[in-house]
Each structure stands twice: as C-alpha cells, then as structure tokens.
Amino acid sequence: MSPPDALPRIHRHTLGELEITRIVELDEPFLAPHQMFAEATPEALAPHLEWLLPKALCPVTGKLILPIQTYVIRTPHHVALVDTCIGNHKSLAGFKRWANREDDTWLRRLAAAGISPEQVDYVFCTHLHLDHCGWHTRLENGRWVPTFPNARYLFAAEEFAYAESRARAGEDPVFAENVLPVMEAGRGVLVAQDFVLDDTLWLESTPGHTPGHVSVHLQSRQLHGVVTGDLIHSPLQCHHPEWNFRHDENPALASLTRRAFLERHADAATLILASHFPSPSIGRFVRKHQAFEYRYLEP
Ligand SMILES: [Zn+2]
C-alpha cells in the first residue's frame, strides 16, 4: 500500500513552454543550523527565526528542514531529470542514515506525475554526491542497472574524474554504485561544464561545493530558470552568502561562486529552482541591504 502522503508531494510549474515538476523523495529535519553552518550561532539566527519557523526550522527538533528532490523538466522535445535523490539499497559509506533504503516512494511519485522510466531522455546531475545521483541506478537481480534505460546520463567530466578519484582512494561507494554501472551500460556521456543541450537546457559551471559542480539552466519564451544544485543549501545563505555548508569541499571557492550567483540572478530575476530549500523551494533572489533574501513563488 502507498502511504497516504505519497501523491501530494508533486508540485508543477510552467516556464514558457517548459513544465517543471518537483519530485520529492524526503522532506524532513536534517541537521541543527550550527551543524550545517559554523557561523549559525543562536545570536546569528535570532533575526531569522520569524521566517524560519516552522517550515524551514523544525520547532520540535531544532533542525533545519531540507528536501531531497528531483526537478523534472518537460520541454516540447524531451523529458529531462535534474538529480535523482538517494535511491534504494545504497551503501553510502559516509552517511549511514540513508543507507540501504527500501522505499520506492520517489519512483511512485514520478509515475504519478505521468513519467515512466522509459520516457526519460536525459538525466542531468549537478554533482556526484549521494543525495543527487542515487536513482541513477537500481538493483536488479543483484546487479546495478540504469533506472532510465533509454536516457542519456550527462556527467560533467571534471566531476566524473573527481568522483572516480575518490572511489580509487576507497573513500566513496557512490561512483561504483551510481555512476560506473551507467557507463558500463553505454548510457553515460561526459560533457563540459558549460555544455549546451539546446536552446532550452544548458549547464553553468558553479564549482566549490565539489570541483565539477554545475547548475542547470532552462529557458523558454525569454523566461529563464536555473536549478541550483548545492552551491547554496539554505535561504539563510541568501542573507549570509559567506556561510559555507560543512561539506563544501573548497570553502573559499564555494563562497565566491555563491555570492556571484546570487548577484547575477537577483539582477536578472531568474526563477530559482533551489535543490534543498524548504518546500515549495522555487522562488527568486531579491536584494536586501548588502545581501539578499528569498521570495517563494507560492506561499
Ligand atoms: Zn545535496
């Protein structure tokens, strides 16, 4: 039986001729603010509590609420996914909380949004961390196989090389479980960090969280949006672009990239499809004092 909340976690928007659907895998308290951002002391958080509580900061656990989700982009020509969450049966050496999941809610939500795995044409990936490429593969008779048998999986070459080096160092099973089986099945393509698929979808290099991190741009009829990936994790970082997430691998570069991204897209009024901002996640950056704030598209 499906849990009763399985179907409502689908959220649709349009951008010109593009249809954007958020498919949420998990949406729950993640870590206490100071565990994510060293600077997030009670004093630093105090001015933000009014808007953080209760949707972005759980009043019970005191943890920041953070969705793990996929953006599905339907163009007139393609069905594309951006990131594929955690997935099932993954060993996730560094983060046991999400290891060995057996929960097909994400797949059922995708089906409820009218998308079968066979229909997916492209799988984009902002970076190769465990919560962004899990459903790239699934376990079938003890073997990892691509979940989307007809898709081209696009990997930024620099991110691919970095993930491969971590795997060689024995640091991370993500490459072996989520990436290598896609390459071995002939479905993976290595692309530049500024790859352009067509006039509706392209990549922008946004390094710092990982070396080959990319954001995914979409455009239709002069309307423009971008899936952030993990260059920014929380709307708190709009107010404090210098706050790095503790897993930003190059903190100095991560803050430079974040500040420049906020500047650029606040000016352009770009629709922001934030990967981990609390639901409903989609909104715009707006300038405020010397920094920014986040305005959600819907309440
Ligand atoms: Zn992430």
Side-chain angles (χ1 to χ4, degrees), residues 64-252:
L64 290 168
I65 296 166
L66 179 151
I68 310 288
Q69 61 190 340
T70 295
Y71 284 99
V72 181
I73 318 292
R74 279 183 194 257
T75 81
H77 309 294
H78 310 120
V79 175
L81 308 185
V82 182
D83 293 343
T84 64
C85 302
I86 300 162
N88 277 351
H89 311 294
K90 308 293 178 174
S91 50
L92 302 178
F95 200 72
K96 286 295 175 194
R97 175 162 144 196
W98 293 333
N100 298 307
R101 285 169 54 81
E102 292 190 11
D103 180 350
D104 64 355
T105 302
W106 182 87
L107 277 179
R108 285 187 288 106
R109 286 178 179 152
L110 197 64
I115 296 156
S116 71
E118 291 75 18
Q119 278 177 288
V120 175
D121 299 302
Y122 292 99
V123 180
F124 287 87
C125 193
T126 59
H127 65 298
L128 291 171
H129 277 169
L130 56 89
D131 54 323
H132 294 263
C133 56
W135 283 107
H136 274 40
T137 59
R138 61 187 175 82
L139 211 49
E140 185 179 84
N141 301 321
R143 281 186 58 232
W144 294 109
V145 298
T147 305
F148 309 100
N150 303 318
R152 290 278 164 217
Y153 289 68
L154 307 177
F155 299 106
E158 190 164 348
E159 185 70 5
F160 182 92
Y162 175 66
E164 190 174 30
S165 71
R166 282 174 57 90
R168 277 212 205 93
E171 290 173 9
D172 197 344
V174 165
F175 188 79
E177 295 177 354
N178 299 351
V179 182
L180 202 52
V182 171
M183 300 308 285
E184 288 173 349
R187 305 313 308 174
V189 184
L190 301 189
V191 299
Q193 284 170 276
D194 57 356
F195 170 79
V196 177
L197 178 67
D198 58 19
D199 59 357
T200 60
L201 287 167
W202 67 92
L203 302 183
E204 174 189 7
S205 172
T206 46
H209 180 63
T210 60
H213 189 283
V214 294
S215 301
V216 180
H217 286 259
L218 38 152
Q219 182 166 283
S220 173
R221 293 182 177 157
Q222 265 83 66
L223 299 170
H224 181 209
V226 60
V227 183
T228 60
D230 284 8
L231 73 92
I232 188 164
H233 282 78
S234 164
L236 275 169
Q237 291 169 292
C238 297
H239 300 263
H240 296 285
E242 72 285 5
W243 287 9
N244 288 312
F245 177 47
R246 67 169 180 169
H247 291 304
D248 287 339
E249 296 188 22
N250 182 335

